[in-house]
PDB file of all heavy atoms in Angstrom:
ATOM      1  N   LEU A  92      39.230 -21.673 -26.661  1.00 97.00           N
ATOM      2  CA  LEU A  92      40.609 -21.936 -26.293  1.00 97.00           C
ATOM      3  C   LEU A  92      40.635 -21.815 -24.764  1.00 97.00           C
ATOM      4  O   LEU A  92      40.248 -20.798 -24.230  1.00 97.00           O
ATOM      5  CB  LEU A  92      41.532 -20.890 -26.921  1.00 97.00           C
ATOM      6  CG  LEU A  92      43.001 -20.920 -26.443  1.00 97.00           C
ATOM      7  CD1 LEU A  92      43.685 -22.180 -26.898  1.00 97.00           C
ATOM      8  CD2 LEU A  92      43.727 -19.717 -26.965  1.00 97.00           C
ATOM      9  N   SER A  93      41.085 -22.853 -24.121  1.00 96.00           N
ATOM     10  CA  SER A  93      41.198 -22.805 -22.653  1.00 96.00           C
ATOM     11  C   SER A  93      42.468 -23.552 -22.228  1.00 96.00           C
ATOM     12  O   SER A  93      42.816 -24.580 -22.773  1.00 96.00           O
ATOM     13  CB  SER A  93      40.019 -23.518 -21.965  1.00 96.00           C
ATOM     14  OG  SER A  93      38.822 -22.786 -22.164  1.00 96.00           O
ATOM     15  N   VAL A  94      43.125 -22.953 -21.239  1.00 96.00           N
ATOM     16  CA  VAL A  94      44.323 -23.536 -20.649  1.00 96.00           C
ATOM     17  C   VAL A  94      44.111 -23.603 -19.137  1.00 96.00           C
ATOM     18  O   VAL A  94      43.617 -22.649 -18.541  1.00 96.00           O
ATOM     19  CB  VAL A  94      45.605 -22.694 -20.998  1.00 96.00           C
ATOM     20  CG1 VAL A  94      46.805 -23.256 -20.239  1.00 96.00           C
ATOM     21  CG2 VAL A  94      45.844 -22.755 -22.489  1.00 96.00           C
ATOM     22  N   ARG A  95      44.514 -24.703 -18.518  1.00 92.00           N
ATOM     23  CA  ARG A  95      44.416 -24.864 -17.069  1.00 92.00           C
ATOM     24  C   ARG A  95      45.169 -23.667 -16.441  1.00 92.00           C
ATOM     25  O   ARG A  95      46.370 -23.444 -16.765  1.00 92.00           O
ATOM     26  CB  ARG A  95      45.059 -26.191 -16.692  1.00 92.00           C
ATOM     27  CG  ARG A  95      44.681 -26.738 -15.327  1.00 92.00           C
ATOM     28  CD  ARG A  95      45.288 -28.074 -15.085  1.00 92.00           C
ATOM     29  NE  ARG A  95      44.785 -29.169 -15.904  1.00 92.00           N
ATOM     30  CZ  ARG A  95      43.621 -29.794 -15.698  1.00 92.00           C
ATOM     31  NH1 ARG A  95      42.856 -29.420 -14.725  1.00 92.00           N
ATOM     32  NH2 ARG A  95      43.260 -30.830 -16.482  1.00 92.00           N
ATOM     33  N   PRO A  96      44.544 -22.908 -15.557  1.00 89.00           N
ATOM     34  CA  PRO A  96      45.174 -21.675 -15.017  1.00 89.00           C
ATOM     35  C   PRO A  96      46.586 -21.857 -14.506  1.00 89.00           C
ATOM     36  O   PRO A  96      47.447 -21.002 -14.774  1.00 89.00           O
ATOM     37  CB  PRO A  96      44.188 -21.179 -13.978  1.00 89.00           C
ATOM     38  CG  PRO A  96      42.876 -21.597 -14.516  1.00 89.00           C
ATOM     39  CD  PRO A  96      43.151 -22.979 -15.133  1.00 89.00           C
ATOM     40  N   PRO A  97      46.925 -22.906 -13.754  1.00 81.00           N
ATOM     41  CA  PRO A  97      48.326 -23.048 -13.322  1.00 81.00           C
ATOM     42  C   PRO A  97      49.335 -23.192 -14.422  1.00 81.00           C
ATOM     43  O   PRO A  97      50.507 -22.957 -14.262  1.00 81.00           O
ATOM     44  CB  PRO A  97      48.309 -24.293 -12.440  1.00 81.00           C
ATOM     45  CG  PRO A  97      46.878 -24.513 -12.048  1.00 81.00           C
ATOM     46  CD  PRO A  97      46.071 -23.976 -13.162  1.00 81.00           C
ATOM     47  N   ARG A  98      48.857 -23.563 -15.623  1.00 82.00           N
ATOM     48  CA  ARG A  98      49.751 -23.749 -16.791  1.00 82.00           C
ATOM     49  C   ARG A  98      49.701 -22.512 -17.735  1.00 82.00           C
ATOM     50  O   ARG A  98      50.335 -22.556 -18.802  1.00 82.00           O
ATOM     51  CB  ARG A  98      49.309 -24.982 -17.605  1.00 82.00           C
ATOM     52  CG  ARG A  98      49.416 -26.265 -16.809  1.00 82.00           C
ATOM     53  CD  ARG A  98      50.769 -26.841 -16.878  1.00 82.00           C
ATOM     54  NE  ARG A  98      50.759 -28.195 -16.375  1.00 82.00           N
ATOM     55  CZ  ARG A  98      51.861 -28.896 -16.265  1.00 82.00           C
ATOM     56  NH1 ARG A  98      53.014 -28.389 -16.637  1.00 82.00           N
ATOM     57  NH2 ARG A  98      51.793 -30.120 -15.785  1.00 82.00           N
ATOM     58  N   ALA A  99      48.906 -21.504 -17.403  1.00 82.00           N
ATOM     59  CA  ALA A  99      48.756 -20.340 -18.269  1.00 82.00           C
ATOM     60  C   ALA A  99      50.043 -19.505 -18.338  1.00 82.00           C
ATOM     61  O   ALA A  99      50.913 -19.636 -17.460  1.00 82.00           O
ATOM     62  CB  ALA A  99      47.616 -19.474 -17.733  1.00 82.00           C
ATOM     63  N   ARG A 100      50.102 -18.725 -19.392  1.00 82.00           N
ATOM     64  CA  ARG A 100      51.213 -17.800 -19.601  1.00 82.00           C
ATOM     65  C   ARG A 100      52.558 -18.511 -19.767  1.00 82.00           C
ATOM     66  O   ARG A 100      53.624 -17.991 -19.416  1.00 82.00           O
ATOM     67  CB  ARG A 100      51.289 -16.750 -18.506  1.00 82.00           C
ATOM     68  CG  ARG A 100      49.959 -15.953 -18.444  1.00 82.00           C
ATOM     69  CD  ARG A 100      50.024 -14.740 -17.562  1.00 82.00           C
ATOM     70  NE  ARG A 100      51.043 -13.804 -17.964  1.00 82.00           N
ATOM     71  CZ  ARG A 100      50.989 -12.910 -18.951  1.00 82.00           C
ATOM     72  NH1 ARG A 100      49.878 -12.784 -19.615  1.00 82.00           N
ATOM     73  NH2 ARG A 100      51.949 -12.089 -19.174  1.00 82.00           N
ATOM     74  N   ARG A 101      52.483 -19.716 -20.361  1.00 84.00           N
ATOM     75  CA  ARG A 101      53.726 -20.478 -20.637  1.00 84.00           C
ATOM     76  C   ARG A 101      53.795 -20.908 -22.107  1.00 84.00           C
ATOM     77  O   ARG A 101      54.570 -21.746 -22.442  1.00 84.00           O
ATOM     78  CB  ARG A 101      53.760 -21.728 -19.735  1.00 84.00           C
ATOM     79  CG  ARG A 101      53.852 -21.415 -18.268  1.00 84.00           C
ATOM     80  CD  ARG A 101      53.897 -22.654 -17.482  1.00 84.00           C
ATOM     81  NE  ARG A 101      53.813 -22.321 -16.034  1.00 84.00           N
ATOM     82  CZ  ARG A 101      53.756 -23.225 -15.109  1.00 84.00           C
ATOM     83  NH1 ARG A 101      53.788 -24.489 -15.380  1.00 84.00           N
ATOM     84  NH2 ARG A 101      53.649 -22.824 -13.864  1.00 84.00           N
ATOM     85  N   GLY A 102      52.933 -20.280 -22.914  1.00 87.00           N
ATOM     86  CA  GLY A 102      52.979 -20.563 -24.350  1.00 87.00           C
ATOM     87  C   GLY A 102      52.061 -21.651 -24.831  1.00 87.00           C
ATOM     88  O   GLY A 102      51.998 -21.938 -26.044  1.00 87.00           O
ATOM     89  N   LEU A 103      51.295 -22.327 -23.924  1.00 94.00           N
ATOM     90  CA  LEU A 103      50.399 -23.388 -24.356  1.00 94.00           C
ATOM     91  C   LEU A 103      49.253 -22.855 -25.246  1.00 94.00           C
ATOM     92  O   LEU A 103      48.908 -23.459 -26.221  1.00 94.00           O
ATOM     93  CB  LEU A 103      49.815 -24.143 -23.172  1.00 94.00           C
ATOM     94  CG  LEU A 103      50.755 -25.023 -22.387  1.00 94.00           C
ATOM     95  CD1 LEU A 103      50.049 -25.685 -21.218  1.00 94.00           C
ATOM     96  CD2 LEU A 103      51.375 -26.089 -23.313  1.00 94.00           C
ATOM     97  N   GLY A 104      48.680 -21.733 -24.835  1.00 94.00           N
ATOM     98  CA  GLY A 104      47.578 -21.154 -25.633  1.00 94.00           C
ATOM     99  C   GLY A 104      48.044 -20.830 -27.026  1.00 94.00           C
ATOM    100  O   GLY A 104      47.345 -21.160 -28.019  1.00 94.00           O
ATOM    101  N   ARG A 105      49.209 -20.193 -27.138  1.00 95.00           N
ATOM    102  CA  ARG A 105      49.758 -19.834 -28.474  1.00 95.00           C
ATOM    103  C   ARG A 105      50.053 -21.118 -29.273  1.00 95.00           C
ATOM    104  O   ARG A 105      49.721 -21.185 -30.462  1.00 95.00           O
ATOM    105  CB  ARG A 105      51.005 -18.986 -28.314  1.00 95.00           C
ATOM    106  CG  ARG A 105      51.531 -18.525 -29.687  1.00 95.00           C
ATOM    107  CD  ARG A 105      52.514 -17.418 -29.541  1.00 95.00           C
ATOM    108  NE  ARG A 105      52.145 -16.340 -28.685  1.00 95.00           N
ATOM    109  CZ  ARG A 105      51.318 -15.320 -29.022  1.00 95.00           C
ATOM    110  NH1 ARG A 105      50.828 -15.276 -30.216  1.00 95.00           N
ATOM    111  NH2 ARG A 105      51.033 -14.419 -28.159  1.00 95.00           N
ATOM    112  N   ALA A 106      50.632 -22.112 -28.619  1.00 96.00           N
ATOM    113  CA  ALA A 106      50.875 -23.381 -29.341  1.00 96.00           C
ATOM    114  C   ALA A 106      49.588 -24.014 -29.825  1.00 96.00           C
ATOM    115  O   ALA A 106      49.542 -24.551 -30.971  1.00 96.00           O
ATOM    116  CB  ALA A 106      51.651 -24.336 -28.442  1.00 96.00           C
ATOM    117  N   LEU A 107      48.545 -23.966 -29.018  1.00 97.00           N
ATOM    118  CA  LEU A 107      47.258 -24.516 -29.432  1.00 97.00           C
ATOM    119  C   LEU A 107      46.657 -23.733 -30.608  1.00 97.00           C
ATOM    120  O   LEU A 107      46.143 -24.316 -31.578  1.00 97.00           O
ATOM    121  CB  LEU A 107      46.288 -24.551 -28.263  1.00 97.00           C
ATOM    122  CG  LEU A 107      46.535 -25.664 -27.252  1.00 97.00           C
ATOM    123  CD1 LEU A 107      45.854 -25.338 -25.915  1.00 97.00           C
ATOM    124  CD2 LEU A 107      46.053 -27.014 -27.791  1.00 97.00           C
ATOM    125  N   VAL A 108      46.732 -22.419 -30.552  1.00 97.00           N
ATOM    126  CA  VAL A 108      46.215 -21.577 -31.638  1.00 97.00           C
ATOM    127  C   VAL A 108      46.958 -21.893 -32.941  1.00 97.00           C
ATOM    128  O   VAL A 108      46.374 -22.059 -34.007  1.00 97.00           O
ATOM    129  CB  VAL A 108      46.260 -20.094 -31.273  1.00 97.00           C
ATOM    130  CG1 VAL A 108      46.003 -19.221 -32.531  1.00 97.00           C
ATOM    131  CG2 VAL A 108      45.244 -19.768 -30.218  1.00 97.00           C
ATOM    132  N   GLU A 109      48.297 -21.915 -32.874  1.00 97.00           N
ATOM    133  CA  GLU A 109      49.092 -22.189 -34.089  1.00 97.00           C
ATOM    134  C   GLU A 109      48.804 -23.564 -34.633  1.00 97.00           C
ATOM    135  O   GLU A 109      48.734 -23.759 -35.830  1.00 97.00           O
ATOM    136  CB  GLU A 109      50.574 -21.962 -33.795  1.00 97.00           C
ATOM    137  CG  GLU A 109      50.955 -20.505 -33.526  1.00 97.00           C
ATOM    138  CD  GLU A 109      50.512 -19.555 -34.662  1.00 97.00           C
ATOM    139  OE1 GLU A 109      50.639 -19.937 -35.843  1.00 97.00           O
ATOM    140  OE2 GLU A 109      50.009 -18.448 -34.336  1.00 97.00           O
ATOM    141  N   SER A 110      48.642 -24.532 -33.745  1.00 98.00           N
ATOM    142  CA  SER A 110      48.316 -25.925 -34.187  1.00 98.00           C
ATOM    143  C   SER A 110      46.923 -25.947 -34.835  1.00 98.00           C
ATOM    144  O   SER A 110      46.737 -26.654 -35.838  1.00 98.00           O
ATOM    145  CB  SER A 110      48.387 -26.892 -33.029  1.00 98.00           C
ATOM    146  OG  SER A 110      49.703 -27.048 -32.583  1.00 98.00           O
ATOM    147  N   ALA A 111      46.010 -25.210 -34.270  1.00 98.00           N
ATOM    148  CA  ALA A 111      44.664 -25.143 -34.870  1.00 98.00           C
ATOM    149  C   ALA A 111      44.724 -24.494 -36.256  1.00 98.00           C
ATOM    150  O   ALA A 111      44.043 -24.964 -37.178  1.00 98.00           O
ATOM    151  CB  ALA A 111      43.724 -24.351 -33.963  1.00 98.00           C
ATOM    152  N   LYS A 112      45.511 -23.430 -36.407  1.00 98.00           N
ATOM    153  CA  LYS A 112      45.675 -22.789 -37.712  1.00 98.00           C
ATOM    154  C   LYS A 112      46.307 -23.780 -38.713  1.00 98.00           C
ATOM    155  O   LYS A 112      45.837 -23.859 -39.839  1.00 98.00           O
ATOM    156  CB  LYS A 112      46.486 -21.511 -37.566  1.00 98.00           C
ATOM    157  CG  LYS A 112      45.707 -20.390 -36.828  1.00 98.00           C
ATOM    158  CD  LYS A 112      46.569 -19.271 -36.336  1.00 98.00           C
ATOM    159  CE  LYS A 112      47.219 -18.428 -37.397  1.00 98.00           C
ATOM    160  NZ  LYS A 112      47.963 -17.304 -36.838  1.00 98.00           N
ATOM    161  N   ASP A 113      47.307 -24.467 -38.283  1.00 97.00           N
ATOM    162  CA  ASP A 113      47.987 -25.461 -39.162  1.00 97.00           C
ATOM    163  C   ASP A 113      46.974 -26.563 -39.556  1.00 97.00           C
ATOM    164  O   ASP A 113      46.905 -26.917 -40.744  1.00 97.00           O
ATOM    165  CB  ASP A 113      49.159 -26.105 -38.452  1.00 97.00           C
ATOM    166  CG  ASP A 113      50.334 -25.175 -38.311  1.00 97.00           C
ATOM    167  OD1 ASP A 113      50.395 -24.121 -38.985  1.00 97.00           O
ATOM    168  OD2 ASP A 113      51.244 -25.482 -37.468  1.00 97.00           O
ATOM    169  N   ARG A 114      46.222 -27.062 -38.627  1.00 97.00           N
ATOM    170  CA  ARG A 114      45.257 -28.114 -38.925  1.00 97.00           C
ATOM    171  C   ARG A 114      44.192 -27.616 -39.889  1.00 97.00           C
ATOM    172  O   ARG A 114      43.787 -28.309 -40.831  1.00 97.00           O
ATOM    173  CB  ARG A 114      44.627 -28.650 -37.636  1.00 97.00           C
ATOM    174  CG  ARG A 114      43.508 -29.646 -37.802  1.00 97.00           C
ATOM    175  CD  ARG A 114      43.978 -31.068 -38.176  1.00 97.00           C
ATOM    176  NE  ARG A 114      44.941 -31.624 -37.242  1.00 97.00           N
ATOM    177  CZ  ARG A 114      44.619 -32.448 -36.240  1.00 97.00           C
ATOM    178  NH1 ARG A 114      43.372 -32.778 -36.037  1.00 97.00           N
ATOM    179  NH2 ARG A 114      45.576 -32.920 -35.444  1.00 97.00           N
ATOM    180  N   ALA A 115      43.685 -26.418 -39.655  1.00 98.00           N
ATOM    181  CA  ALA A 115      42.696 -25.799 -40.532  1.00 98.00           C
ATOM    182  C   ALA A 115      43.222 -25.630 -41.960  1.00 98.00           C
ATOM    183  O   ALA A 115      42.513 -25.910 -42.928  1.00 98.00           O
ATOM    184  CB  ALA A 115      42.221 -24.465 -39.954  1.00 98.00           C
ATOM    185  N   ARG A 116      44.473 -25.219 -42.068  1.00 97.00           N
ATOM    186  CA  ARG A 116      45.115 -25.029 -43.382  1.00 97.00           C
ATOM    187  C   ARG A 116      45.191 -26.378 -44.096  1.00 97.00           C
ATOM    188  O   ARG A 116      44.799 -26.438 -45.271  1.00 97.00           O
ATOM    189  CB  ARG A 116      46.507 -24.449 -43.173  1.00 97.00           C
ATOM    190  CG  ARG A 116      47.235 -24.044 -44.417  1.00 97.00           C
ATOM    191  CD  ARG A 116      48.631 -23.491 -44.133  1.00 97.00           C
ATOM    192  NE  ARG A 116      48.614 -22.334 -43.228  1.00 97.00           N
ATOM    193  CZ  ARG A 116      49.028 -22.369 -41.960  1.00 97.00           C
ATOM    194  NH1 ARG A 116      49.502 -23.456 -41.408  1.00 97.00           N
ATOM    195  NH2 ARG A 116      48.992 -21.303 -41.210  1.00 97.00           N
ATOM    196  N   VAL A 117      45.586 -27.398 -43.416  1.00 96.00           N
ATOM    197  CA  VAL A 117      45.674 -28.746 -43.996  1.00 96.00           C
ATOM    198  C   VAL A 117      44.308 -29.239 -44.468  1.00 96.00           C
ATOM    199  O   VAL A 117      44.178 -29.928 -45.457  1.00 96.00           O
ATOM    200  CB  VAL A 117      46.340 -29.717 -43.009  1.00 96.00           C
ATOM    201  CG1 VAL A 117      46.180 -31.172 -43.408  1.00 96.00           C
ATOM    202  CG2 VAL A 117      47.811 -29.396 -42.826  1.00 96.00           C
ATOM    203  N   ARG A 118      43.297 -28.828 -43.728  1.00 96.00           N
ATOM    204  CA  ARG A 118      41.915 -29.226 -44.070  1.00 96.00           C
ATOM    205  C   ARG A 118      41.292 -28.361 -45.125  1.00 96.00           C
ATOM    206  O   ARG A 118      40.098 -28.492 -45.435  1.00 96.00           O
ATOM    207  CB  ARG A 118      41.061 -29.256 -42.784  1.00 96.00           C
ATOM    208  CG  ARG A 118      41.491 -30.379 -41.853  1.00 96.00           C
ATOM    209  CD  ARG A 118      40.911 -30.271 -40.450  1.00 96.00           C
ATOM    210  NE  ARG A 118      39.509 -30.629 -40.393  1.00 96.00           N
ATOM    211  CZ  ARG A 118      39.021 -31.719 -39.814  1.00 96.00           C
ATOM    212  NH1 ARG A 118      39.849 -32.598 -39.299  1.00 96.00           N
ATOM    213  NH2 ARG A 118      37.724 -31.890 -39.778  1.00 96.00           N
ATOM    214  N   GLY A 119      42.079 -27.458 -45.723  1.00 96.00           N
ATOM    215  CA  GLY A 119      41.645 -26.716 -46.889  1.00 96.00           C
ATOM    216  C   GLY A 119      41.099 -25.305 -46.621  1.00 96.00           C
ATOM    217  O   GLY A 119      40.573 -24.667 -47.566  1.00 96.00           O
ATOM    218  N   HIS A 120      41.211 -24.828 -45.409  1.00 97.00           N
ATOM    219  CA  HIS A 120      40.659 -23.492 -45.122  1.00 97.00           C
ATOM    220  C   HIS A 120      41.753 -22.448 -45.362  1.00 97.00           C
ATOM    221  O   HIS A 120      42.951 -22.674 -45.193  1.00 97.00           O
ATOM    222  CB  HIS A 120      40.236 -23.455 -43.621  1.00 97.00           C
ATOM    223  CG  HIS A 120      39.129 -24.350 -43.323  1.00 97.00           C
ATOM    224  ND1 HIS A 120      37.814 -24.110 -43.680  1.00 97.00           N
ATOM    225  CD2 HIS A 120      39.100 -25.570 -42.685  1.00 97.00           C
ATOM    226  CE1 HIS A 120      37.045 -25.131 -43.250  1.00 97.00           C
ATOM    227  NE2 HIS A 120      37.808 -26.011 -42.658  1.00 97.00           N
ATOM    228  N   ASP A 121      41.266 -21.270 -45.761  1.00 96.00           N
ATOM    229  CA  ASP A 121      42.243 -20.185 -45.964  1.00 96.00           C
ATOM    230  C   ASP A 121      42.072 -19.042 -44.943  1.00 96.00           C
ATOM    231  O   ASP A 121      42.886 -18.119 -44.920  1.00 96.00           O
ATOM    232  CB  ASP A 121      42.150 -19.589 -47.384  1.00 96.00           C
ATOM    233  CG  ASP A 121      40.773 -19.047 -47.737  1.00 96.00           C
ATOM    234  OD1 ASP A 121      39.887 -19.026 -46.824  1.00 96.00           O
ATOM    235  OD2 ASP A 121      40.585 -18.617 -48.876  1.00 96.00           O
ATOM    236  N   ARG A 122      41.086 -19.199 -44.067  1.00 97.00           N
ATOM    237  CA  ARG A 122      40.850 -18.207 -42.968  1.00 97.00           C
ATOM    238  C   ARG A 122      40.296 -18.951 -41.780  1.00 97.00           C
ATOM    239  O   ARG A 122      39.689 -20.011 -41.873  1.00 97.00           O
ATOM    240  CB  ARG A 122      39.788 -17.160 -43.373  1.00 97.00           C
ATOM    241  CG  ARG A 122      40.222 -16.202 -44.425  1.00 97.00           C
ATOM    242  CD  ARG A 122      39.297 -15.031 -44.560  1.00 97.00           C
ATOM    243  NE  ARG A 122      39.151 -14.189 -43.344  1.00 97.00           N
ATOM    244  CZ  ARG A 122      40.103 -13.422 -42.839  1.00 97.00           C
ATOM    245  NH1 ARG A 122      41.248 -13.331 -43.424  1.00 97.00           N
ATOM    246  NH2 ARG A 122      39.864 -12.729 -41.755  1.00 97.00           N
TER     247      ARG A 122
END
Side-chain angles (χ1 to χ4, degrees):
L92 172 68
S93 292
V94 173
R95 199 177 292 282
R98 300 274 192 183
R100 303 191 56 82
R101 297 180 187 177
L103 289 179
R105 185 165 312 278
L107 284 161
V108 168
E109 292 305 319
S110 293
K112 289 164 67 177
D113 289 343
R114 175 75 57 96
R116 187 180 303 108
V117 167
R118 290 168 74 109
H120 297 284
D121 60 4
R122 291 193 60 69

